[in-house]
């Protein structure tokens, strides 16, 4: 947690001043309409971005300059500008988990994450588990044939990696409870369960 | 060169075939390197998004595209349905907006101003009386058959009526049942769509398709080109299940927009559009009476069923009712209902899953009524020859024995509704059986053997997830005595020789036919070359472990590479084909398969959980047990989906497909599938039949098997799939109020 | 998505500067799991989105002097699951676990979870929250709609999965605005309301008011639990849910809080269910009686009678779990 302060309970009202510390110097923010197109406007307490702007994103250990609008999702940037197409667009609302990536160590859906919120954060995609020395999770997916059409697979691979990082000794029951954020239509769940069990057994969690 | 006799090696002689081989493209898929249509991003790409009709039935009064055209980032707007058009289902695409980004395309789409005259809708496909009243029904065929023939003077219909009544009256046991299964969608995770680009007057189309070799024609026809002017590519496809055989009008639209703008265009359907318009499976509901003798052998079947395949009518074919277990006397009639839904497409094993769920439930209810074990009733009917199947009764019986052991049927079975509850949880067992053809489709394989020993095949097939690349490579490796990674398989392009669409479990048979033929032809030529060096008759040679050697004298050998070096400068090119339906020693058709489900039901909430599911499946000769089993696991899970979770929900007032997003279109998750056990049934008498596809058959039985298991648990039939908590509770309540 | 202006606040005061007084013009962005999907479908079309995830004070989980807990609105659900203080509130932990998606838990925040929009499919298909003054749901497919508190035009169900637990536990919201100096502590039970006319939100805050923290009283003896009736292991919303908090003394219930979820346009506090339990020991029979009492107030729509039974079972099982007993079901 980023800050640690003592508060009194709600009945007595905890210190408003503490909550608002450092907020005194807010410059007036322009009204919503009728303003000049300003790409980015920084105040001490706030940042405003209107229209397209170029930002830097740190993806898989590399810094990339990308052009985004406020509405541009992280998924669009990864797929269209960085050719990292492992994360997939499957649902409008992130119900499928197919666009799962790591942002600042957390498994989020790139489809419901705005690119602008990812500045200064470490982003990792499924592609970071591939290359010349693939991670144990994709290898276990191959070994257990935990993929058919493969469209959901990258999202699932990230989910399994993240799950095992947190639960390296997961039991089969925990595996069955812990990987429900992703949808597979071909029905590879039974094979994914076996892959995860094997990873726990084989210590493929490094 | 001696004439080549095409054949598979025996089980003992097979070195690659029958081994579990990792899929060759597995790592590419698992690390995000595999490129699907949705992932193809040519430079200067436009993103197209279409406006789907919000109404289930309406007439378009006017379309104003001016605001959309002025939206920042929008480059092109195309109208697909002109003012005056009648729209008969929700989601039909009306106009397309192509823009610099997805966000701009969506904003532009929202700026399209369309006025509609909303018309009456009808979507209540389960309610036959309402459909008749609304004038939405039509006869969809039927058939009656009785052991006794009508006399010359008899009116046939009257005779059948009397005969059915007589047989029912004479039956020791009569069951009247009502069963059904709601419409579902294909719900491919990669939605339908394409990325297209014009180059020198020719169309380059990356299309998410199960029909690479056939869709160039589809584009060409609608764009007034020849197939030579179109190249279709599909290296990877994110699901098809029978819904992706054509470019579809949105694919053609993408090509038109690309031509008009001079830029590449990506046009993929939105999730809700994918569900609403890009493929669904007809619903089916049945009322049936059956009569059986004292042993549970069914003597007579009398049914009427109905359902909808969308706005043009249609439904589940009567030809598969009753399903597999078919008594000597039956009458069946089908009614089609026109509803305001998009037209159904072939969904994995068309007609069979619904037919199974509408028929074998009645056999289970018969067992329940008799207080008998369902297994014994199914067995009695198989033994009595009450079978209309592409597989032999003896095979079903053998498979049932295996399945029963795997699920511990005899120990776990209890009479319907008589299990020992654990709190509010009761358990139950159910089974079902199925059949399918799985004939090998057309396929041509072009094979190149290079002087350096390299092997490369070209085939215009595609990999839906079956592991097509891998089985092709296995066949080549088997024939040439090489390792799987020593051959290269090229698929997924219409530039390659024609191979049939992947539908109806026809692909593995097709590609193994063409690859085996081409490789055996090529090997004969390599043997000819090697025979000179080995001073042996070409007919005495074999290709094993990277060597060409004389059978029986393993030391009299040269390496594969050395043999290929004798080709000289030019590669050896061989092409071989199989034609669908031609008799062949390599493939055949007609499989069975049995499945058993063990479920738990929470009587207080109506929630059903799968404890264990067993699938025993025959499919002739198995090339790759690993991917073959995966097909079955997947089919069972798709079956669990339509048995317990998924359904298209039409709002009765508006006709809208109201749950067309994944948050509401319920699919099972990893934690929902219980323990699944798959057994490949491959004794020599089945293996010797050659390769038969298995994509469809294992998806057929889960509906009936799970419904029967729930009925066994509760002692109450929950008639219509999916068995949602609502339906389970309603069935329990209805039963209680009757008692 | 409609083009909008992105705003990021780094202090609480900064947020207020960025919020419009006009309804619908500005939206607060936390995890985005709900808002971004709604914006993609153009159901929600703000001119400005204010990201509150970079405000350090919203990311705290801290005990209060009285032994309660303050949770920042931007704290993610998975961080709550791993927090030792939060573990003392089983009903909250169980509700978060029930979401059953590591992605939603890692991305979603408690503030966002409490403030998420209804799942109503008429709303999500563009018919507005009240969907033709309630008639679409009342006469249409209402299988997931309200069975309590649905006599007004609002037929949707409140979608928050943590709110029943938080209300049963006695949570307050710390609310800032509309004026710069305004700060209030609102019982969560008073936060939700069933809108009566188009344009009204499903909570009582004004456009320039926003939630900074969720404040919990001391955990007490931890006799509390959440039970959700779920038809899948996925993150799909429960068909019915209930949270129960019991104060037990000498083997009998002294006080009880019973709050149902997914059954009414607001979390549904069932006083009648609580009253039934008072003075009695918790047994399967008394828990069942509490469930039965709860549904005496049910007014199901033509298409969702079954949810009444589920509401009853949810109450019964939440009470049993709160007392440390087996539910007898899944």
């Amino acid at each position: 947690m980023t800050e640690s302060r003592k508060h009194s309970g709600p009945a007595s009202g905890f210190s408003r001043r503490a909550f608002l510390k450092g907020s005194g110097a807010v410059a007036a923010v322009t009204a919503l309409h009728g303003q000049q197109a300003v790409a980015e406007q920084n105040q001490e307490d706030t940042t405003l971005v209107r229209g397209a702007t170029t930002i830097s994103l740190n993806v898989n250990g590399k810094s990339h300059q990308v052009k985004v609008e406020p509405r541009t999702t992280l998924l669009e940037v990864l797929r269209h500008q960085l050719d990292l197409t492992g994360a997939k667009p499957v649902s409008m609302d992130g119900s499928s988990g197919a666009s799962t990536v790591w942002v600042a160590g957390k498994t989020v859906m790139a489809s419901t994450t705005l690119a602008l919120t990812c500045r200064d954060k470490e982003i990792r995609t499924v592609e970071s588990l591939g290359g010349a020395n693939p991670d144990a999770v994709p290898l276990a997916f191959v070994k257990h044939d935990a993929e058919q059409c493969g469209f959901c697979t990258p999202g699932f691979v990230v989910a399994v990696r993240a799950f095992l990082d947190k639960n390296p000794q997961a039991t089969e029951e925990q595996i069955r409870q812990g990987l429900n954020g992703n949808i597979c239509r071909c029905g590879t769940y039974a094979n994914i369960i076996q892959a995860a069990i094997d990873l726990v057994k084989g210590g493929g969690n490094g | 060169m001696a004439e080549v006799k095409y054949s598979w090696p025996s089980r003992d002689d097979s070195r690659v075939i029958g081994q579990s081989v990792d899929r060759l493209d597995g790592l590419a898929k698992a690390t995000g390197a595999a490129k699907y249509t949705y992932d193809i991003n040519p430079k200067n790409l436009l993103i197209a998004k279409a406006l789907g009709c919000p109404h289930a039935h309406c007439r378009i009064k006017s379309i104003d595209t001016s605001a959309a055209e002025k939206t920042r980032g929008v480059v092109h707007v195309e109208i697909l349905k002109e003012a005056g058009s009648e729209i008969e289902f929700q989601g039909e695409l009306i106009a397309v907006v192509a823009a610099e980004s997805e966000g701009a395309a969506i904003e532009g789409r929202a700026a399209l101003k369309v006025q509609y005259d909303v018309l009456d809708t009808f979507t209540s496909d389960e309610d036959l009386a309402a459909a008749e009243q609304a004038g939405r029904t039509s006869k969809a065929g039927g058939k009656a058959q009785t052991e006794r023939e009508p006399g010359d003077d008899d009116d046939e219909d009257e005779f059948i009526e009397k005969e059915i009544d007589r047989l029912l009256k004479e039956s020791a046991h009569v069951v009247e049942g009502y069963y059904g299964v709601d419409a579902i969608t294909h719900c491919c995770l990669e939605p339908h769509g394409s990325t297209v680009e014009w180059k020198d007057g020719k169309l380059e189309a990356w299309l998410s398709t199960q029909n690479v070799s056939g869709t160039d024609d589809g584009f060409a026809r609608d764009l007034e080109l020849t197939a030579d002017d179109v190249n279709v590519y599909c290296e990877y496809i994110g699901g098809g299940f029978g819904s992706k055989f054509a470019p579809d009008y949105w694919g053609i639209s993408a090509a038109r927009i690309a031509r008009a703008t001079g830029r590449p265009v990506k046009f993929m359907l939105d999730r809700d559009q994918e569900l609403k318009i890009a493929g669904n499976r007809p619903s089916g509901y049945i009322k049936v009476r059956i009569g059986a003798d004292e042993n549970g052998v069914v003597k007579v079947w009398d049914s009427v069923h109905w359902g909808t395949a969308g706005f043009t009518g249609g439904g589940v074919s009567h030809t598969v009712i009753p399903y597999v277990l078919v008594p000597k006397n039956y009458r069946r009639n089908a009614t089609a209902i026109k509803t305001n839904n998009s037209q159904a497409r072939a969904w994995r094993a068309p007609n069979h899953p619904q037919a199974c769920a509408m028929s074998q439930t009645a056999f289970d209810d018969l067992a329940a009524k008799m207080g008998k074990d369902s297994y014994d009733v199914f067995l009695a009917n198989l033994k009595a020859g009450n079978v209309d199947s592409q597989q032999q009764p003896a095979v079903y019986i053998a498979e049932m024995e295996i399945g029963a052991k795997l699920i511990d049927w005899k120990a776990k079975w209890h009479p319907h509704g008589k299990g020992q509850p654990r709190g509010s949880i009761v358990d139950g067992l159910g089974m079902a059986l199925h059949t399918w053809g799985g004939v090998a489709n057309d396929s041509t394989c072009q094979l190149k053997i290079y002087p350096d020993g390299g092997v490369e095949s070209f085939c215009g097939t595609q990999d839906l997830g079956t592991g097509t690349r891998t089985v092709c490579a296995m066949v080549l490796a088997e024939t040439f005595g090489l390792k799987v990674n020593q051959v290269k398989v090229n698929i997924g392009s219409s530039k390659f020789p024609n191979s049939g669409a992947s539908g109806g479990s026809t692909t593995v048979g097709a590609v193994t036919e063409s690859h085996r033929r081409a490789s055996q032809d090529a090997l004969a030529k390599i043997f000819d070359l090697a025979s000179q060096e080995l001073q042996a008759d070409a007919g005495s040679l074999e290709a094993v472990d990277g060597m060409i050697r004389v059978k029986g004298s393993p030391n009299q050998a040269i390496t594969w590479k050395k043999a290929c070096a004798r080709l000289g400068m030019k590669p050896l090119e061989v092409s071989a084909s199989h034609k669908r339906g031609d008799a062949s020693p390599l493939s055949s058709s007609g499989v069975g398969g049995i499945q058993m489900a063990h479920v738990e039901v929470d009587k207080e909430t109506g929630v059903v959980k799968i404890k264990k599911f067993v699938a025993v499946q025959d499919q002739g000769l198995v090339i790759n047990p690993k991917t073959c089993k995966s097909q079955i696991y997947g089919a069972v899970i798709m079956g669990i989906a339509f048995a317990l979770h998924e359904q298209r929900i039409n709002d009765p007032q508006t006709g809208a497909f109201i749950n067309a997003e994944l948050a509401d279109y319920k699919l099972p998750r990893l934690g929902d599938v219980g323990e699944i056990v798959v057994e490949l049934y491959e004794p020599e008498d089945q293996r010797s039949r050659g390769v038969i596809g298995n994509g469809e058959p294992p998806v057929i039985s889960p509906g009936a098997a799970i419904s029967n298991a729930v009925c066994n648990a509760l002692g109450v039939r929950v008639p219509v799939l999916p068995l949602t908590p609502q339906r389970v509770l309603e069935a329990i309540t209805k039963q209680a109020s009757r008692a | 998505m409609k083009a909008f202006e992105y705003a990021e606040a780094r202090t609480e005061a900064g947020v207020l500067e960025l919020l419009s007084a006009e309804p619908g013009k500005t939206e607060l962005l936390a995890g985005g799991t709900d808002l971004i999907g709604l914006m993609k479908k153009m159901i929600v079309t703000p001119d400005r989105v204010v990201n509150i995830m970079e405000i350090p004070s919203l990311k705290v989980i801290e005990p209060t002097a009285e032994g309660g807990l303050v949770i920042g609105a931007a704290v993610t659900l998975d961080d709550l699951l791993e927090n030792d203080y939060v573990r003392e509130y089983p009903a909250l932990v169980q509700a978060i676990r029930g979401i059953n998606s590591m992605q939603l838990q890692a991305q979603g925040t408690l503030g966002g979870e409490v403030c998420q929009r209804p799942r109503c499919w008429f709303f999500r298909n563009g018919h507005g929250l009240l969907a033709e003054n309630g008639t679409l749901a009342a006469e249409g497919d209402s299988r997931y709609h309200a069975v309590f508190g649905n006599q007004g035009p609002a037929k949707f169900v409140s979608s928050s999965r943590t709110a029943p637990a938080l209300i049963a536990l006695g949570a307050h919201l710390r609310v800032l605005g509309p004026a710069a100096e305004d700060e209030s502590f609102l019982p969560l039970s008073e936060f939700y309301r069933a809108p009566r006319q188009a344009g009204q939100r499903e909570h009582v805050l004004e456009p320039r008011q926003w939630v900074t923290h969720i404040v919990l009283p001391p955990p007490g003896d931890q006799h509390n639990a959440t039970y959700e009736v779920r038809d899948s292991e996925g993150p799909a919303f429960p068909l019915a849910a209930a949270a129960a908090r019991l104060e037990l003394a000498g083997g009998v219930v002294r006080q009880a809080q019973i709050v149902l979820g997914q059954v009414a346009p607001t979390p549904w506090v069932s006083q009648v269910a609580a009253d039934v339990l008072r003075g009695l020991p918790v047994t399967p029979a008394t828990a069942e009686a509490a469930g039965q009492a709860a549904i005496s107030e049910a007014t199901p729509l033509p298409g969702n009678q079954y949810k009444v039974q589920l509401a009853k079972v949810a109450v019964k099982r939440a009470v049993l779990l709160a007392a440390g007993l087996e539910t007898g079901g899944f």
Side-chain angles (χ1 to χ4, degrees), chain A residues 71 88 143 145 148-149, chain B residues 23 29 36 107 626 630:
Chain A
R71 66 184 168 192
K88 305 289 190 215
K143 182 178 166 193
D145 206 36
Q148 288 187 35
C149 86
Chain B
R23 67 177 70 212
K29 286 179 176 175
Y36 297 74
E107 190 175 9
K626 183 176 272 194
S630 290

Side-chain angles (χ1 to χ4, degrees), chain A residues 121-145:
Chain A
K121 296 196 171 94
E122 200 179 302
I123 300 158
R124 267 178 75 210
T125 69
V126 70
E127 284 86 355
S128 72
L129 304 177
N133 293 304
D135 181 83
V137 171
L139 290 173
F141 268 61
V142 177
K143 182 178 166 193
H144 292 276
D145 206 36

Side-chain angles (χ1 to χ4, degrees), chain B residues 73 115 162 171 177 242 274 327 364 403 428 449 481 505 514 540 542 577 587 602 606 626-627 712:
Chain B
Q115 289 189 302
K162 278 187 189 156
S171 292
E274 175 70 15
D364 188 78
I449 315 268
S505 301
S514 63
S540 71
E542 61 181 0
S577 300
S587 69
D602 187 330
K626 183 176 272 194
T627 50
N712 180 244

Side-chain angles (χ1 to χ4, degrees), chain B residues 678-717:
Chain B
V678 168
E679 180 76 11
L680 303 180
Y681 182 73
E682 196 191 10
E684 200 48 44
D685 65 340
Q686 294 303 312
R687 189 183 188 278
S688 63
R689 300 172 64 208
V691 178
I692 311 173
N694 85 336
E696 336 284 304
V699 86
I700 297 167
S701 279
I706 291 169
S707 178
N708 291 343
V710 169
C711 183
N712 180 244
L714 293 171
V716 177
R717 176 65 57 178

Side-chain angles (χ1 to χ4, degrees), chain B residues 315-332:
Chain B
V316 176
S317 168
H318 74 86
T319 57
V320 282
I321 303 278
Y323 188 67
V324 178
L325 298 178
V326 181
K328 307 287 184 293
N329 303 284
Y330 62 80
R331 178 170 64 178
R332 62 194 186 206

